[in-house]
Amino acid sequence: MRDVSIIGIGQTPVGEHWDRSLRHLAYDALAAAMKDANIEWADALYVGNMLSGEISGQAHLGPLIADFAGLRGIEAVKVEAACASAAAALRQAYIGVASGLQDIVIALGVEKMTDDVGSQLTAGLASAADADYEVIHGITFVALNALIMQRYMYQYQLKREDFAGFAINAHANGAGNPNAMFQQPIRKEDFIRSHMVADPIGLLDASPMADGAAAVILCPTEQARDFTENAIRIKASAVATDSLSVHDRRDPLWLQAAEDSARKAYRQAGVGPQDIDFFELHDAFTVMSALSLEASGFAERGKGTWLARDGEICLEGRIPITTRGGLKARGHPVGATGLYQVVEAVQQLRGEAGPNQVANARLGMTQNIGGSGATIITHIFERLDL
Amino acid sequence: MRDVSIIGIGQTPVGEHWDRSLRHLAYDALAAAMKDANIEWADALYVGNMLSGEISGQAHLGPLIADFAGLRGIEAVKVEAACASAAAALRQAYIGVASGLQDIVIALGVEKMTDDVGSQLTAGLASAADADYEVIHGITFVALNALIMQRYMYQYQLKREDFAGFAINAHANGAGNPNAMFQQPIRKEDFIRSHMVADPIGLLDASPMADGAAAVILCPTEQARDFTENAIRIKASAVATDSLSVHDRRDPLWLQAAEDSARKAYRQAGVGPQDIDFFELHDAFTVMSALSLEASGFAERGKGTWLARDGEICLEGRIPITTRGGLKARGHPVGATGLYQVVEAVQQLRGEAGPNQVANARLGMTQNIGGSGATIITHIFERLDL
């Protein structure tokens, strides 16, 4: 098995791209990554996407995007794991290079959510949950997360505003990221006064729907210096799953798949949570930030919000999270999000994060979550000094 | 890179399963394969599926099916390449085992086409083609193939009935397969008189929509004897792609991706078409059988139908195809089809194909096609005498 590194990254700004179709967004990110890696060809393309069939009437993105990007003929396939689709694409790209079958591999995430001609978006997002046992009762995806947050607040005696720190931190960091959908800071009063979406989830608890694409280029670490001076090593890659139905889990307030995938990742990397310099977590809703921090070993059970309250998640804190805005402020183009996290982790480790730079970042972790915790994919990245 | 073998197979009958949901069908095939391999756990599950989001409002099949089959927690993800989704799942499973990262891996294909509550099936199938440049003009998937067949008949001076042999052979073999959707033989007169679907494609040129699931279990060849005496080795695994738009190809009558993936597969296996004992090809429409035979090296350009005319594709012929009914008679549950082909190839190589047995079969080939030739995945399998 070969060691694998990232030699190129690319992304589009996140937002409402009325003038760019799905294939154009994909091309923009892919071409930028190929230019960054200084390559003109690849052995394989793995596309992460969740909703192109429902929203754009377009399946079969592998060959579509390969062809449009000038890579006609290469091995290309789509990978889907709801909101974790992009990290799932990276996972398959990683395995392809590690296996020795493929040398230069592209992992791309793309989602075009604004082309919702058939008004399928709410139903499409709900398809990440269990259609036969959850969605059939009329629940939406945000409502499902609202039930989790209700229970969390009840169990740990918290108020809505205890979650404010996650959104405030995300927006503060988004202000420094030119690719973020929202670049304006928010105050605690804004959070408290924000419109209710599904009680207790307010507008500023929830990440926005968006269009976007992000891509990375992988190759064997031993070949990385042929392409770049600032390769970033994939030190761990781990996937775990759980029941799709939240009611079917042993504990709806514990992300078992986060614990499992983080544990596997720490073991592969030979590190623990105390060694991680920053953590790009999946803050689709503020409560998910708390759950992710707890199950991944950064906070005790029920104390995830304490890290936000105490400023530990800020750039200078003990464990900086959502350093470039996270899902909340950078935006959440669902099937692309996992690779935005990775692109941002690479920027941090290269020292290219501008005003959001985490000082002396050597080890970064990303965690992409599908379906309120049914798929959780954790990666750890390390700066290589070649 | 490790050598990989198949140690278990499972399938459901193909047909209209009004009493079984998507997860039940998946479970049936998966449980049968696990029983056949004598295993109770696996390291990973790759699910091939095309339309669950559109038809059943259910994405995120990886964890859903893993959990339902008693495998909660394992790495599980969906892979999509239109009608080639199941072979794409096998491809990823193969890479997972070859890499050394995963030992026991399940590749599963499942499609539930009859639960079409929103009448999305015709649009869903068309999403295999180019939404922006083909489907927007109102073309359906069968109409697209009808254009290809029209052109083929014009170019090579053929009549509709010249394609009859493919359907007659498929139905003759389907009669011997208890899992086939159609088990009655047809005559040339039936073919000629069959209702027109999209001129020149008649009902008996076209494979039927269906429900079904098929699964295989992989492990490193060196461990295969711990599980079974009749392991089947994956001697080659190859993917190639082409433009999604048919009009954008250099030649609409040449499956470039079939030529490319077959060439790669032959090279990996160190064999040529003359060494293949049977070929499970993708006969979604009769014209695709001709094109596949030509591009894969079994017939000269424009002479694919001659093999059918001369009986060369029958069980005793030079290159038996669709030996258990093919897409035409066994049925075409789109995202599962590629693994039905593989399950049937394994049956042949084990000598378990009953009345459809190809005598002395040692080397079998499968070819799964997505989107009229945009994704083509070729595998070659070999009987291991352990």
Side-chain angles (χ1 to χ4, degrees), chain A residues 23 58 60 74 130-131 241, chain B residues 23 58 60 74 130-131 241 375:
Chain A
R23 77 185 77 193
Q58 183 68 70
H60 215 179
I74 69 165
D130 192 315
T241 60
Chain B
R23 76 185 77 193
Q58 182 67 72
H60 215 180
I74 68 166
D130 192 316
T241 60
T375 296

Side-chain angles (χ1 to χ4, degrees), chain B residues 129-386:
Chain B
D130 192 316
D132 294 347
Y133 292 89
E134 290 179 324
V135 184
I136 200 167
H137 299 294
I139 203 162
T140 63
F141 197 66
V142 56
L144 196 62
N145 281 271
L147 290 176
I148 295 172
M149 187 166 166
Q150 284 280 15
R151 179 73 199 175
Y152 189 94
M153 288 165 61
Y154 168 81
Q155 183 100 5
Y156 302 120
Q157 300 285 306
L158 293 168
K159 294 198 281 290
R160 265 197 71 222
E161 60 236 51
D162 293 320
F163 296 84
F166 292 119
I168 293 166
N169 174 64
H171 276 264
N173 291 337
N177 178 4
N179 290 304
M181 186 164 181
F182 298 131
Q183 300 181 27
Q184 65 278 49
I186 59 166
R187 298 161 306 164
K188 190 163 183 178
E189 306 88 84
D190 300 323
F191 179 87
I192 292 169
R193 281 202 304 258
S194 66
H195 290 294
M196 195 55 74
V197 178
D199 190 9
I201 291 180
L203 195 64
L204 293 180
D205 285 284
S207 55
M209 298 179 290
D211 304 330
V216 302
I217 316 280
L218 310 185
C219 83
T221 300
E222 61 184 18
Q223 297 173 26
R225 71 182 67 212
D226 299 342
F227 299 97
T228 180
E229 305 251 299
N230 56 11
I232 300 299
R233 185 174 168 230
I234 302 180
K235 210 170 160 70
S237 170
V239 182
T241 60
D242 198 349
S243 156
L244 219 53
S245 302
V246 175
H247 68 260
D248 220 17
R249 297 184 192 157
R250 241 163 302 173
D251 178 353
L253 298 185
W254 189 252
L255 295 177
Q256 188 60 46
E259 181 187 343
D260 292 348
S261 75
R263 191 181 344 103
K264 285 195 262 188
Y266 292 142
R267 196 171 52 227
Q268 286 171 34
V271 303
Q274 70 285 352
D275 301 309
I276 303 297
D277 294 317
F278 63 92
F279 181 25
E280 293 302 333
L281 53 68
H282 191 93
D283 57 324
F285 304 99
T286 49
V287 67
M288 291 309 274
S289 298
L291 294 177
S292 174
L293 285 166
E294 293 168 26
S296 304
F298 295 101
E300 286 178 51
R301 186 185 284 257
K303 296 185 178 170
T305 58
W306 296 20
L307 292 179
R309 183 194 64 192
D310 300 340
E312 303 274 33
I313 60 170
C314 300
L315 294 177
E316 302 78 20
R318 180 157 64 85
I319 180 66
I321 67 170
T322 60
T323 67
R324 309 229 67 189
L327 282 62
K328 177 69 203 77
R330 176 240 296 130
H332 183 27
V334 287
T337 287
L339 277 159
Y340 273 100
Q341 295 177 314
V342 174
V343 165
E344 292 160 359
V346 170
Q347 289 179 323
Q348 287 288 2
L349 294 168
R350 285 182 180 177
E352 295 174 356
N356 300 131
Q357 186 63 47
V358 173
N360 304 314
R362 281 199 69 85
L363 217 54
M365 186 159 109
T366 61
Q367 189 170 80
N368 195 193
I369 301 183
S372 311
T375 296
I376 303 195
I377 306 180
T378 306
H379 283 93
I380 297 175
F381 303 93
E382 181 184 39
R383 193 171 74 207
L384 270 182
D385 294 310
L386 292 171

